[in-house]
Amino acid sequence: MLGAGLFPLVVAGCGAGGSEPASITGDQELLQEHGFADADAHEIIDRLEALPVAERPQDLIASVTATSLQLQDDAGREAELPLPEDQFYLSVAPFVETTHECAFHSLTTCRGELRSRELTVSVVDSSSGEVLEEGPRTTHDNGFLGLWLPRGITAELTCTLEDYTGTASISTQAEDDLTCLTSLQLT
């Protein structure tokens, strides 16, 4: 088990970022007990994000920073898994009426307004004009949709729901870039 202070652990939806680990650090039993023994950060994020809210582990906090997935359970055990070096995870909760402030996404506690809704999503690289993502996407039961994007870019994200549209500038360049975008209002 990791001692307190060995790495910064984000235990809520928002917090300070950590440094990129070279490999999985922390309590391997925590990973095994939650069925993640052979999974990498990408797999764990996708699995947790896709779970219906009622099935998400109540005894686990799973937070995503720009460089890692950080886990902590009720027993105080911690583990940190690096994100892929060439990928950045951004979880987006577009909204019409209500939202919450957040910087780093909590896979187990963050909730957005638009649950299980089909949106049209577009992500365009600001430098090259390359379309990185385009088409219909459905938000998960928690109201978020997850985007695996290339690292080192700035882009324009546009989400449309029926007659409502919103656009936001996003970045995957710095260790303190947001992994939880909750300010994208659809008007």
Side-chain angles (χ1 to χ4, degrees):
M1 180 159 75
L2 283 179
L6 289 181
F7 65 88
L9 182 67
V10 179
V11 294
C14 303
S19 60
E20 183 167 333
S23 62
I24 298 171
T25 57
D27 195 310
Q28 297 298 315
E29 285 183 25
L30 174 133
L31 298 172
Q32 290 173 350
E33 287 180 19
H34 287 280
F36 304 138
D38 296 324
D40 62 15
H42 193 294
E43 293 172 279
I44 295 170
I45 290 168
D46 287 349
R47 284 170 44 190
L48 286 172
E49 198 81 278
L51 279 177
V53 169
E55 295 175 25
R56 294 190 185 203
Q58 298 297 307
D59 62 343
L60 181 71
I61 298 294
S63 298
V64 183
T65 72
T67 57
S68 68
L69 169 63
Q70 300 178 351
L71 305 167
Q72 183 178 31
D73 69 5
D74 285 353
R77 297 178 299 183
E78 302 172 346
E80 182 175 27
L81 295 85
L83 294 186
E85 288 184 20
D86 61 341
Q87 293 182 314
F88 185 97
Y89 186 73
L90 177 65
S91 197
V92 182
F95 73 100
V96 175
E97 294 180 14
T98 59
T99 190
H100 67 282
E101 284 191 35
C102 193
F104 299 120
H105 186 54
S106 172
L107 295 157
T108 50
T109 62
C110 279
R111 302 288 181 269
E113 173 187 1
L114 303 175
R115 298 174 57 190
S116 304
R117 299 291 299 268
E118 186 172 301
L119 308 167
T120 301
V121 176
S122 170
V123 180
V124 179
D125 186 302
S126 298
S127 299
S128 69
E130 177 185 358
V131 176
L132 303 172
E133 175 98 22
E134 187 170 53
R137 295 284 305 268
T138 302
T139 58
H140 296 290
D141 187 43
N142 66 349
F144 282 81
L145 61 94
L147 301 170
W148 285 100
L149 301 168
R151 283 195 186 277
I153 64 160
T154 56
E156 288 296 312
L157 166 66
T158 302
C159 293
T160 303
L161 171 69
E162 300 162 0
D163 294 332
Y164 299 96
T165 297
T167 300
S169 294
I170 57 174
S171 174
T172 67
Q173 297 179 340
E175 286 191 16
D176 61 350
D177 280 337
L178 302 178
T179 63
C180 189
L181 179 62
T182 58
S183 60
L184 181 59
Q185 185 169 18
L186 307 182
T187 56

